[in-house]
Amino acid sequence: MRKFLSGNEAFAEGVRLARPQVISAYPITPQTTVVEALASMVEEGSLACEYLHVESEHTALAAAMGASATGARTFTATSSQGLLYMAECLTYVSGGRFPIVMMNANRALALPWNIYGDQRDSLSLLDHGWIQVYAENNQEALDLALMAYAVAEDERVSLPVMVNVDGFALTHTYESVEVPEAQAADAFLPPYATANRFDFERPVSIGYSAGPEFNGHYQYWHHRDMLAAETVVEEVEARFAATCGRRYPGLVDAYRCEDADLVLVTLGSAAGIARDVADELRAAGTRAGVLRIRYLRPVPGRQLAEALAGVAAVGVLEKDISFGGDGGAVFSTVLAACARRGVARPALNFIGGLGGADISRDQVRACFADLERLATGRGEAGRVVFLGIDDEEGGLR
């Protein structure tokens, strides 16, 4: 069935089709309409589950963890300061290997207060043990709501998944999306079953301690199974294509990168305008490409290195900054992944969209122009460029 839905409404439709047994809800802009839509579904009877109104974001994730520990499929959602308030619980959930799915509406962090979308909230928590995936549009957001459970609940992974959806750019923007039939969704995602749960007949210890002699083994296994998610994502997307008819490209989405001289790497909704500009440049004779990162955890290191091996210059455009560091978290990740595999290309970091600022077509053209100067020896590699600010402030290294 085709519907005209906001990103939040589309994601709620995906959650409904996943049939969670427990939803814990606390409002925060711009996530609120996700849990409002799910509340309406529970009220009207189209979704049968236990819906918990809790007193904080911290409690929302704690409640989801408790429900998951009983063997229930669970869902919650948050944004920005709410995600930071959950930070303590994030490592409990991932360390406990509870396959919770959480939607995060990407939003700027305070101070100064700002309700609009950038990606500093989720990117600041990359090392908390969750799989992180970033949607480009509302259709992908809906489909990820289903696919995230299939990845999280696979016994080779057994880790929580954070699905990131750009605040307002997607959450409150309406698009035409295809909603799978319930029969197809059920065929794709069977009921959840796990041995990692409280069981009176088979008692287990959950929330245990591990001293120095054992602790490192748990972290090793966590890392090992996060890496295993790459194979599981590919398998899940193949099954989704077979049952629901849409195919996704795995951890990254490469666009016209095969013969590109200049490639702009980004994630989330910014990829659309980047591809449009790449097409314009191609028409004018410049071999430009765009590499969209879909999953930032696990890091798609092999795919990044393969896509960027033959290019003359690489740019990373992100809605994030690591204060005092050599650029943003995405830039550092891309360079480290490529360097580890022997691929070192001249690179620039473009910081844009902070606090919900528009990333314009002209700004993306300027990014590619900077990359062309770098490729021809007229630019300085490693620079961090703040879009729309450097010209005013004089620029920073």
Side-chain angles (χ1 to χ4, degrees):
M1 180 182 298
R2 184 159 289 277
K3 293 185 177 182
F4 191 56
L5 301 173
S6 70
N8 279 349
E9 292 169 345
F11 201 92
E13 286 286 348
V15 173
R16 177 182 63 81
L17 290 169
R19 302 188 188 278
Q21 294 154 294
V22 177
I23 294 173
S24 54
Y26 190 81
I28 182 171
T29 301
Q31 169 269 130
T32 304
T33 53
V34 172
V35 291
E36 286 180 342
L38 289 167
S40 296
M41 294 172 184
V42 172
E43 182 67 21
E44 71 189 16
S46 62
L47 173 59
C49 80
E50 191 73 24
Y51 190 96
L52 307 178
H53 300 268
V54 297
E55 68 270 21
S56 73
E57 293 92 352
H58 187 284
T59 310
L61 190 51
M65 179 171 62
S68 185
T70 70
R73 180 176 288 162
T74 62
F75 173 76
T76 190
T78 192
S79 179
S80 184
Q81 304 302 126
L83 179 61
L84 297 192
Y85 193 23
M86 289 178 170
E88 179 189 24
C89 290
L90 291 177
T91 55
Y92 274 83
V93 170
S94 61
R97 311 304 294 269
F98 298 118
I100 295 167
V101 170
M102 176 167 66
M103 182 268 207
N104 176 58
N106 283 121
R107 171 186 147 185
L109 299 175
L111 285 172
W113 280 105
N114 182 297
I115 64 168
Y116 299 101
D118 63 34
Q119 293 164 338
R120 286 178 53 218
D121 52 0
S122 56
L123 292 176
S124 70
L125 298 167
L126 283 173
D127 294 331
H128 279 55
W130 286 57
I131 293 169
Q132 283 205 25
V133 55
Y134 291 77
E136 181 186 353
N137 52 48
N138 295 357
Q139 183 69 69
E140 188 173 25
L142 187 156
D143 295 341
L144 282 171
L146 270 169
M147 290 190 288
Y149 280 106
V151 172
E153 295 172 2
D154 190 288
E155 62 181 8
R156 291 167 290 178
V157 177
S158 295
L159 288 169
V161 177
M162 183 189 304
V163 182
N164 295 288
V165 181
D166 283 343
F168 290 102
L170 296 183
T171 60
H172 286 62
T173 299
Y174 281 75
E175 298 178 32
S176 177
V177 300
E178 188 71 32
V179 181
E181 296 293 337
Q183 184 177 3
D186 290 343
F188 167 73
L189 185 67
Y192 176 47
T194 180
N196 184 31
R197 57 185 289 267
F198 294 120
D199 188 338
F200 291 117
E201 302 302 321
R202 179 181 165 273
V204 295
S205 176
I206 293 178
Y208 39 77
S209 296
E213 67 274 31
F214 297 117
N215 194 283
H217 290 82
Y218 286 97
Q219 314 316 320
Y220 175 88
W221 297 328
H222 190 148
H223 181 60
R224 176 199 64 193
D225 295 347
M226 177 77 80
L227 296 178
E230 176 181 345
T231 298
V232 174
V233 166
E234 293 171 354
E235 293 175 2
V236 164
E237 290 182 351
R239 286 199 296 109
F240 187 83
T243 54
C244 298
R246 279 179 297 283
R247 181 169 293 279
Y248 289 92
L251 302 191
V252 302
D253 183 7
Y255 182 75
R256 308 190 79 165
C257 291
E258 298 85 354
D259 64 341
D261 295 321
L262 315 174
V263 170
L264 193 62
V265 181
T266 191
L267 66 166
S269 60
I273 194 169
R275 282 195 291 265
D276 287 347
V277 172
D279 286 342
E280 292 176 6
L281 294 174
R282 286 274 178 168
T286 299
R287 293 191 299 186
V290 176
L291 185 62
R292 177 171 71 98
I293 297 175
R294 298 182 66 238
Y295 285 79
L296 199 54
R297 288 293 185 274
V299 173
R302 174 181 57 83
Q303 295 88 340
L304 289 168
E306 290 174 356
L308 301 177
V311 307
V314 177
V316 177
L317 171 59
E318 59 186 299
K319 301 177 181 181
D320 169 65
I321 179 63
S322 296
F323 298 113
D326 283 335
V330 185
F331 183 67
S332 299
T333 298
V334 171
L335 263 60
C338 289
R340 180 185 170 197
R341 292 159 179 83
V343 176
R345 311 309 304 153
L348 297 174
N349 190 194
F350 302 105
I351 307 297
L354 298 181
D358 286 337
I359 296 176
S360 70
R361 197 175 295 263
D362 286 342
Q363 286 177 340
V364 177
R365 289 193 194 100
C367 292
F368 277 110
D370 281 351
L371 292 179
E372 189 165 24
R373 283 190 287 272
L374 181 62
T376 55
R378 295 175 292 131
E380 178 186 356
R383 288 180 57 240
V384 180
V385 180
F386 282 75
L387 302 185
I389 297 177
D390 272 351
D391 291 342
E392 303 170 9
E393 301 282 350
L396 291 170
R397 279 179 173 272

